[in-house]
Amino acid sequence: MSPWSQPIDPLRDVVLSAVAAAVPLVVVLIVMGWLRKPGYIAALSGLVCCVGLACFIWHMPVHLALLSMGYGVIYAIWPIMWIVFAALWLYNLSVETGKFDLLRCWMEHHASGDMRVQAIMVAFCFGALLEGTAGFGAPVAMTAFLLVALGFKASRAVTVSLIANTTPVAFGALGTPIVALAAVTGLDQLKLSAMVGRQLPFMSLLLPAYLVIFLSGLKGLKDIWPAALVAGGTFALVQFAVANYWGPYAVDVLASLTSIVALTILLRFWKPGDIVRAAAGAQGLAPNRRLSFADSVGAWTPWILLALMMIVWSYFKIFTRFQISVVMPWLHNAVYISLYRKPYAAIYNFQPLAAGTAALTATVIAAVILRASARTFISSGLTTLRQLLLPGLTVMIIVALSYTYNYSGMAYTLGAALASLGKWFPLASGFLGWVACFLSGSDTSSNLLFGNLQVAAGHQLGISPVLLAGTNSSGAVTGKMISPQNIAVGVTTVGLAGNEGGIVREVFWHSMVFATVLSLLAFAQAYVLRWMVP
């Protein structure tokens, strides 16, 4: 059978077709953000809308729509939910063994007791370490719970964690988004890493200050600007240096660890003049408890193990060992991408030793080192399973929506319409990444979706393809905070499952501000600051 060809302009009007393609995205935002419905309802509403438009406007055969949905569900289960499950299992193990409470005490002691400094240390610095090793929403879930333990209200803890979970995302999971972008575009991996490393450090430098302003206004920033400057400055400097001269793999891990150490050293010699404590008050162990060296080591053991396992997995390329490539029946090459003039492959690479397996290995080793009983180990796993039932459903639906959006051609319709902006395209380049990450919850998926489109537009418009491809990845980080998938996982540990709508309303405009600033930077780099493009 000849493949079904995606129509780029099904309504014979570029603007109308683009508006129609944007409808499922708008539906998800309205249902979740305005109507405040749970994430799975918003995702299901968007999926129904997407399938209807795909079949009746884009004239996609029904069986192909159903197959693409099924393919998305499979990918959502493995590897996405697998890594989330394994990382949260490690987190729950640390909670049940008391090590997470020790980490809370360590943060309380070393972050001066000030909620603004704690937000920087936990959401920005520690969250970046988790993003660099795990990703897929797990950093938000863990840092939000830690902030709640420090006295933050649950909704505020999630919001702060989501805003902070931005600039590290492009180099998350040991640089996977950049590696995928290089693979799909054929561009030099180090150049792409350098390009992103010449955009995001500006945001990284300012992000801790932004968090402080969000929490306590400009007056609050005046009180603790040294902490914001040290944390943001060291992170941005290391992020720039590693991304430009080493590559994408260890950017987040090195930048976050450097930032944590630098901030800790600063706080030994400097304290805020006025200590502002979270309204709810710290929970658990008394904040004035002095931790022994052994306690501090125990508090950090699970997370250092996680980082080490991810580094070992990456260095020895363990991810790809025993990989099984499965051609998806009746879907592989059954769709023709008109925009790229090539068949749409559908090959599922099952990796039994995926990143989730690395995280599970770290969990097992942590259980042994921490002398957790078999009952505690199993109990923490069952707790994780219960926590992820509803968020997992949301993730499966939203990824099914993403795959249907791609295979139907609706994503390419929207992208092609934006590419018609001509010399103004760099202003929209970051928003393409924003849209794709909002939909998929993944910078990696965003790059796989629109990476080639950015390169094609660059060649057509005479703009550096490296700049536009890099901007796609950088733009995706600004959409991460409003992704239903990210939020669904992020609320699992603080008892807010089903209340994702209020979170979206809270962070939406922050996301838009970040995306706008990044797009303006990309526009300047395209025409004024060309020397910044590698």
Side-chain angles (χ1 to χ4, degrees), residues 119-401:
I120 296 174
M121 177 74 83
V122 174
F124 178 69
C125 301
F126 184 54
L129 176 62
L130 296 174
E131 180 63 39
T133 53
F136 294 109
V140 177
M142 297 180 198
T143 56
F145 182 84
L146 184 50
L147 288 174
V148 169
L150 289 168
F152 283 67
K153 293 182 178 179
S155 59
R156 180 54 57 95
V158 174
T159 302
V160 168
S161 297
L162 284 168
I163 294 174
N165 187 226
T166 46
T167 56
V169 168
F171 297 102
L174 297 176
T176 299
I178 304 299
V179 174
L181 183 61
V184 76
T185 61
L187 298 175
D188 183 80
Q189 180 174 294
L190 185 57
K191 286 187 176 181
L192 290 171
S193 176
M195 186 67 253
V196 177
R198 298 178 190 188
Q199 292 178 326
L200 292 183
F202 293 103
M203 296 175 63
S204 297
L205 174 63
L206 299 175
L207 186 53
Y210 190 94
L211 289 174
V212 173
I213 293 173
F214 171 72
L215 286 171
S216 59
L218 288 173
K219 183 181 182 301
L221 182 59
K222 289 180 182 179
D223 293 337
I224 65 156
W225 66 265
L229 180 61
V230 167
T234 53
F235 189 96
L237 182 62
V238 176
Q239 186 182 47
F240 168 80
V242 178
N244 276 268
Y245 301 109
W246 189 357
Y249 300 106
V251 173
D252 281 351
V253 174
L254 294 177
S256 59
L257 289 176
T258 303
S259 187
I260 290 171
V261 171
L263 184 56
T264 302
I265 292 174
L266 171 71
L267 292 169
R268 290 181 65 87
F269 303 98
W270 169 89
K271 302 290 182 185
D274 295 320
I275 302 295
V276 177
R277 297 193 180 275
Q283 303 169 5
L285 297 175
N288 59 358
R289 171 181 172 179
R290 302 291 297 184
L291 296 181
S292 66
F293 178 75
D295 286 336
S296 298
V297 170
W300 279 100
T301 293
W303 316 111
I304 297 300
L305 281 173
L306 180 62
L308 288 175
M309 283 300 104
M310 289 297 184
I311 292 172
V312 168
W313 243 249
S314 175
Y315 182 80
F316 292 104
K317 296 181 172 59
I318 297 177
F319 297 108
T320 58
R321 294 188 181 182
F322 307 110
Q323 175 177 297
I324 302 173
S325 297
V326 179
V327 174
M328 299 303 293
W330 306 294
L331 183 61
H332 178 62
N333 290 341
V335 175
Y336 186 77
I337 307 176
S338 303
L339 188 65
Y340 297 158
R341 298 180 181 179
K342 66 177 185 180
Y344 204 150
I347 301 177
Y348 174 62
N349 294 316
F350 175 69
Q351 297 178 335
L353 299 180
T357 308
L360 181 61
T361 303
T363 304
V364 173
I365 295 175
V368 173
I369 292 177
L370 300 177
R371 298 180 180 179
S373 65
R375 181 176 181 178
T376 299
F377 181 74
I378 295 173
S379 172
S380 58
L382 292 175
T383 298
T384 305
L385 189 61
R386 287 192 297 269
Q387 287 175 333
L388 288 178
L389 285 178
L390 197 57
L393 176 62
T394 302
V395 171
M396 285 189 286
I397 296 173
I398 202 69
V399 179
L401 165 59

